[in-house]
Amino acid sequence: MTSLILFAILATAQALAQDGPQPRAIDPGAAGKPPSDAIVLFDGSNAGEWAHKDGRPAEWKLENGALVCNSGKGDLYSKRKIGSAQIHVEFSAPYMPNAKSQARGNSGVYIQNNYEIQVLDSYQNPTYANGSCAALYGQYAPLVNACRKPGEWQSYDIIFHTPACDSEGKVTTPGTITLLHNGVVVQDHVTIKGKTPGAGKTSVCEPGPLMLQDHFHPDVKETFMKFRNIWYRPL
Ligand code: MG
Protein backbone atom coordinates (compact mmCIF):
# COMPACT_ATOMS: atom_id res chain seq x y z
CA MET A 1 0.00 0.00 0.00
CA THR A 2 2.75 2.45 1.06
CA SER A 3 4.73 1.75 -2.10
CA LEU A 4 1.64 2.40 -4.20
CA ILE A 5 1.19 5.85 -2.64
CA LEU A 6 4.90 6.59 -3.10
CA PHE A 7 4.64 5.60 -6.75
CA ALA A 8 1.64 7.90 -7.23
CA ILE A 9 3.51 10.85 -5.68
CA LEU A 10 6.58 10.25 -7.87
CA ALA A 11 4.44 9.95 -10.99
CA THR A 12 2.72 13.27 -10.18
CA ALA A 13 6.04 15.02 -9.58
CA GLN A 14 7.34 13.69 -12.88
CA ALA A 15 4.27 14.95 -14.72
CA LEU A 16 4.70 18.47 -13.23
CA ALA A 17 8.42 18.74 -13.95
CA GLN A 18 9.22 20.55 -17.17
CA ASP A 19 12.49 20.23 -18.94
CA GLY A 20 12.64 23.85 -20.15
CA PRO A 21 15.80 25.96 -20.19
CA GLN A 22 17.24 27.05 -16.88
CA PRO A 23 16.28 30.58 -15.79
CA ARG A 24 19.07 32.95 -16.82
CA ALA A 25 21.27 33.73 -13.83
CA ILE A 26 21.81 37.39 -13.03
CA ASP A 27 23.45 39.18 -10.14
CA PRO A 28 20.63 40.87 -8.21
CA GLY A 29 23.09 43.50 -6.99
CA ALA A 30 23.73 44.67 -3.45
CA ALA A 31 20.94 46.47 -1.61
CA GLY A 32 20.30 49.77 -3.30
CA LYS A 33 22.19 48.79 -6.47
CA PRO A 34 20.71 47.82 -9.84
CA PRO A 35 20.72 44.17 -10.90
CA SER A 36 23.41 43.12 -13.39
CA ASP A 37 21.04 43.06 -16.39
CA ALA A 38 19.51 46.51 -15.78
CA ILE A 39 19.93 49.38 -18.20
CA VAL A 40 21.03 52.26 -16.03
CA LEU A 41 19.54 55.65 -16.92
CA PHE A 42 21.08 57.56 -14.03
CA ASP A 43 23.70 56.37 -11.55
CA GLY A 44 24.50 59.73 -10.01
CA SER A 45 27.50 60.53 -12.18
CA ASN A 46 26.02 62.24 -15.24
CA ALA A 47 22.77 62.98 -17.07
CA GLY A 48 23.97 61.74 -20.46
CA GLU A 49 20.97 59.43 -20.88
CA TRP A 50 18.59 62.38 -20.67
CA ALA A 51 17.55 65.37 -22.75
CA HIS A 52 14.83 67.99 -22.90
CA LYS A 53 11.97 67.81 -25.38
CA ASP A 54 13.81 69.89 -28.00
CA GLY A 55 16.87 67.66 -27.70
CA ARG A 56 19.07 70.02 -25.69
CA PRO A 57 21.17 68.36 -22.99
CA ALA A 58 19.69 68.04 -19.51
CA GLU A 59 19.79 71.33 -17.65
CA TRP A 60 18.79 69.88 -14.33
CA LYS A 61 21.52 70.26 -11.73
CA LEU A 62 23.69 67.35 -10.65
CA GLU A 63 23.98 67.48 -6.88
CA ASN A 64 25.40 64.81 -4.54
CA GLY A 65 24.46 62.00 -6.90
CA ALA A 66 20.98 63.34 -7.57
CA LEU A 67 19.36 65.06 -10.52
CA VAL A 68 17.61 68.16 -9.24
CA CYS A 69 14.77 69.82 -11.10
CA ASN A 70 14.19 73.42 -10.24
CA SER A 71 11.06 74.75 -11.85
CA GLY A 72 11.30 76.22 -15.31
CA LYS A 73 14.08 74.01 -16.66
CA GLY A 74 11.61 71.72 -18.40
CA ASP A 75 10.71 68.05 -18.34
CA LEU A 76 13.48 65.48 -18.83
CA TYR A 77 13.16 62.59 -21.29
CA SER A 78 15.21 59.43 -21.39
CA LYS A 79 16.94 59.10 -24.75
CA ARG A 80 16.09 55.41 -24.75
CA LYS A 81 12.63 54.27 -25.71
CA ILE A 82 11.14 51.80 -23.29
CA GLY A 83 8.39 49.22 -23.82
CA SER A 84 7.21 46.65 -21.29
CA ALA A 85 9.65 46.88 -18.43
CA GLN A 86 10.48 46.84 -14.76
CA ILE A 87 11.41 50.43 -13.91
CA HIS A 88 13.11 51.72 -10.76
CA VAL A 89 13.15 55.39 -9.79
CA GLU A 90 14.05 57.10 -6.50
CA PHE A 91 12.89 60.58 -5.59
CA SER A 92 12.95 63.03 -2.74
CA ALA A 93 10.26 65.66 -2.38
CA PRO A 94 11.19 69.09 -1.05
CA TYR A 95 9.95 70.44 2.28
CA MET A 96 7.30 73.00 1.35
CA PRO A 97 5.20 73.50 4.50
CA ASN A 98 3.39 76.53 3.12
CA ALA A 99 2.19 74.78 -0.01
CA LYS A 100 -0.92 72.63 0.07
CA SER A 101 -2.46 69.80 -1.95
CA GLN A 102 -1.17 69.69 -5.55
CA ALA A 103 1.20 72.61 -4.95
CA ARG A 104 3.36 70.67 -2.45
CA GLY A 105 6.27 68.88 -4.09
CA ASN A 106 4.59 68.02 -7.36
CA SER A 107 6.37 66.16 -10.14
CA GLY A 108 5.69 62.95 -12.00
CA VAL A 109 7.18 59.89 -13.62
CA TYR A 110 5.62 59.44 -17.05
CA ILE A 111 5.85 55.89 -18.33
CA GLN A 112 6.26 55.73 -22.13
CA ASN A 113 5.70 59.52 -21.95
CA ASN A 114 2.01 58.62 -21.72
CA TYR A 115 1.02 57.64 -18.19
CA GLU A 116 1.82 59.71 -15.13
CA ILE A 117 2.70 58.03 -11.89
CA GLN A 118 2.14 61.00 -9.65
CA VAL A 119 5.02 62.30 -7.56
CA LEU A 120 3.80 64.55 -4.77
CA ASP A 121 4.58 65.21 -1.14
CA SER A 122 1.51 63.37 0.17
CA TYR A 123 2.91 63.07 3.70
CA GLN A 124 0.12 64.61 5.80
CA ASN A 125 -1.00 66.57 2.77
CA PRO A 126 -4.51 65.62 1.62
CA THR A 127 -5.51 66.10 -1.99
CA TYR A 128 -7.90 64.29 -4.32
CA ALA A 129 -7.15 60.59 -3.98
CA ASN A 130 -6.37 59.78 -7.60
CA GLY A 131 -3.99 62.73 -7.72
CA SER A 132 -1.99 61.80 -4.63
CA CYS A 133 1.53 60.39 -4.57
CA ALA A 134 1.74 56.96 -6.28
CA ALA A 135 -1.60 57.41 -8.04
CA LEU A 136 -1.85 56.53 -11.69
CA TYR A 137 -2.90 60.13 -12.14
CA GLY A 138 -6.61 60.62 -12.71
CA GLN A 139 -7.26 56.87 -12.89
CA TYR A 140 -6.35 55.01 -9.73
CA ALA A 141 -5.57 56.18 -6.20
CA PRO A 142 -2.83 54.17 -4.48
CA LEU A 143 -4.08 51.31 -2.27
CA VAL A 144 -2.36 52.92 0.73
CA ASN A 145 -0.40 56.09 1.41
CA ALA A 146 3.16 54.79 1.82
CA CYS A 147 4.83 58.23 1.72
CA ARG A 148 7.91 59.10 3.67
CA LYS A 149 8.47 62.60 4.99
CA PRO A 150 9.67 65.28 2.57
CA GLY A 151 13.45 65.27 2.22
CA GLU A 152 13.66 61.50 2.66
CA TRP A 153 14.45 59.22 -0.28
CA GLN A 154 11.57 57.16 -1.64
CA SER A 155 11.39 54.51 -4.33
CA TYR A 156 9.08 53.48 -7.12
CA ASP A 157 9.30 50.02 -8.61
CA ILE A 158 7.02 49.83 -11.60
CA ILE A 159 6.04 46.84 -13.69
CA PHE A 160 4.66 48.12 -16.94
CA HIS A 161 3.10 46.12 -19.76
CA THR A 162 2.38 48.01 -22.95
CA PRO A 163 -1.02 47.62 -24.56
CA ALA A 164 -1.35 45.25 -27.50
CA CYS A 165 -2.34 47.00 -30.73
CA ASP A 166 -3.63 45.93 -34.12
CA SER A 167 -1.98 46.92 -37.41
CA GLU A 168 -3.96 50.18 -37.49
CA GLY A 169 -2.61 51.21 -34.11
CA LYS A 170 -5.81 50.53 -32.22
CA VAL A 171 -5.49 49.09 -28.72
CA THR A 172 -6.75 45.53 -28.62
CA THR A 173 -5.65 44.70 -25.07
CA PRO A 174 -5.02 47.55 -22.63
CA GLY A 175 -1.69 47.90 -20.83
CA THR A 176 -1.21 47.28 -17.12
CA ILE A 177 0.76 48.82 -14.30
CA THR A 178 1.89 47.43 -10.98
CA LEU A 179 3.61 49.83 -8.60
CA LEU A 180 5.51 49.37 -5.36
CA HIS A 181 6.05 52.58 -3.41
CA ASN A 182 8.82 52.21 -0.84
CA GLY A 183 8.45 48.44 -1.27
CA VAL A 184 4.69 48.45 -0.66
CA VAL A 185 2.23 47.38 -3.38
CA VAL A 186 0.09 50.42 -4.13
CA GLN A 187 -1.08 49.63 -7.68
CA ASP A 188 -1.88 45.96 -8.18
CA HIS A 189 -1.88 45.15 -11.88
CA VAL A 190 -4.31 47.93 -12.78
CA THR A 191 -5.65 48.22 -16.31
CA ILE A 192 -4.61 51.46 -17.98
CA LYS A 193 -7.66 53.43 -19.11
CA GLY A 194 -5.82 55.77 -21.46
CA LYS A 195 -3.17 58.46 -21.66
CA THR A 196 -2.87 61.00 -18.86
CA PRO A 197 -4.47 64.26 -20.01
CA GLY A 198 -1.79 66.63 -21.26
CA ALA A 199 0.68 63.84 -22.05
CA GLY A 200 2.76 64.11 -25.22
CA LYS A 201 2.10 62.62 -28.61
CA THR A 202 3.97 59.35 -28.11
CA SER A 203 2.01 56.41 -29.54
CA VAL A 204 0.70 54.00 -26.92
CA CYS A 205 1.58 51.16 -29.29
CA GLU A 206 5.32 51.79 -29.41
CA PRO A 207 8.07 52.10 -26.84
CA GLY A 208 8.47 55.63 -25.53
CA PRO A 209 10.78 57.61 -23.26
CA LEU A 210 10.54 57.77 -19.52
CA MET A 211 9.73 61.36 -18.63
CA LEU A 212 10.43 63.17 -15.37
CA GLN A 213 8.09 66.09 -14.92
CA ASP A 214 8.96 69.70 -14.22
CA HIS A 215 5.59 70.59 -12.74
CA PHE A 216 4.36 74.15 -12.76
CA HIS A 217 1.92 75.28 -10.09
CA PRO A 218 0.82 78.92 -9.84
CA ASP A 219 0.83 78.85 -6.01
CA VAL A 220 4.56 78.15 -5.71
CA LYS A 221 7.55 79.89 -7.21
CA GLU A 222 9.86 76.92 -7.29
CA THR A 223 9.92 73.20 -6.61
CA PHE A 224 13.24 71.42 -6.12
CA MET A 225 12.53 67.76 -6.86
CA LYS A 226 15.36 65.26 -6.65
CA PHE A 227 15.76 61.97 -8.52
CA ARG A 228 18.43 59.27 -8.34
CA ASN A 229 19.13 55.59 -9.11
CA ILE A 230 17.04 55.23 -12.24
CA TRP A 231 17.18 51.96 -14.18
CA TYR A 232 15.00 49.53 -16.05
CA ARG A 233 14.89 45.96 -17.26
CA PRO A 234 13.00 45.23 -20.46
CA LEU A 235 10.40 42.48 -20.00
MG1 MG B 1 2.49 65.57 -11.20
Side-chain angles (χ1 to χ4, degrees):
M1 190 62 181
T2 318
S3 61
L4 256 180
I5 293 167
L6 203 64
F7 178 76
I9 291 170
L10 282 172
T12 310
Q14 230 161 37
L16 289 174
Q18 286 179 344
D19 228 1
Q22 290 295 299
R24 186 167 50 91
I26 65 155
D27 179 350
K33 299 281 180 220
S36 60
D37 62 347
I39 297 168
V40 176
L41 295 177
F42 180 64
D43 67 0
S45 62
N46 70 85
E49 290 279 349
W50 300 84
H52 293 285
K53 196 177 184 180
D54 58 8
R56 71 185 196 280
E59 289 180 2
W60 292 14
K61 257 189 270 170
L62 213 60
E63 226 176 73
N64 301 322
L67 262 175
V68 186
C69 173
N70 52 331
S71 307
K73 294 289 184 199
D75 305 327
L76 265 196
Y77 297 75
S78 69
K79 293 178 182 172
R80 292 176 198 259
K81 307 259 194 298
I82 302 170
S84 296
Q86 172 187 356
I87 303 166
H88 178 88
V89 179
E90 295 175 22
F91 63 93
S92 167
Y95 180 57
M96 301 172 72
N98 297 322
K100 300 262 179 300
S101 186
Q102 293 289 306
R104 186 181 288 185
N106 196 331
S107 180
V109 174
Y110 276 68
I111 303 167
Q112 198 189 30
N113 194 29
N114 286 327
Y115 315 111
E116 182 183 13
I117 303 287
Q118 174 69 306
V119 171
L120 190 75
D121 175 14
S122 286
Y123 183 81
Q124 300 178 347
N125 175 37
T127 188
Y128 48 96
N130 65 3
S132 60
C133 194
L136 176 51
Y137 187 87
Q139 300 186 32
Y140 300 99
L143 296 170
V144 291
N145 180 341
C147 276
R148 297 193 172 122
K149 291 178 185 170
E152 295 185 15
W153 282 102
Q154 310 194 50
S155 63
Y156 278 164
D157 287 286
I158 303 159
I159 300 165
F160 169 58
H161 286 278
T162 56
C165 296
D166 64 18
S167 55
E168 264 117 65
K170 257 184 70 185
V171 173
T172 51
T173 310
T176 59
I177 288 175
T178 294
L179 170 64
L180 282 77
H181 180 195
N182 297 326
V184 178
V185 176
V186 291
Q187 302 287 350
D188 185 7
H189 199 66
V190 296
T191 300
I192 299 167
K193 294 175 182 169
K195 289 167 85 121
T196 305
K201 291 198 175 90
T202 307
S203 162
V204 300
C205 300
E206 283 156 32
L210 192 70
M211 188 265 266
L212 307 176
Q213 188 188 35
D214 173 4
H215 184 274
F216 169 78
H217 196 288
D219 291 358
V220 290
K221 264 212 288 217
E222 273 186 317
T223 298
F224 292 91
M225 187 64 64
K226 295 180 187 174
F227 291 93
R228 72 176 187 189
N229 291 340
I230 308 173
W231 51 262
Y232 73 98
R233 300 174 62 247
L235 292 174

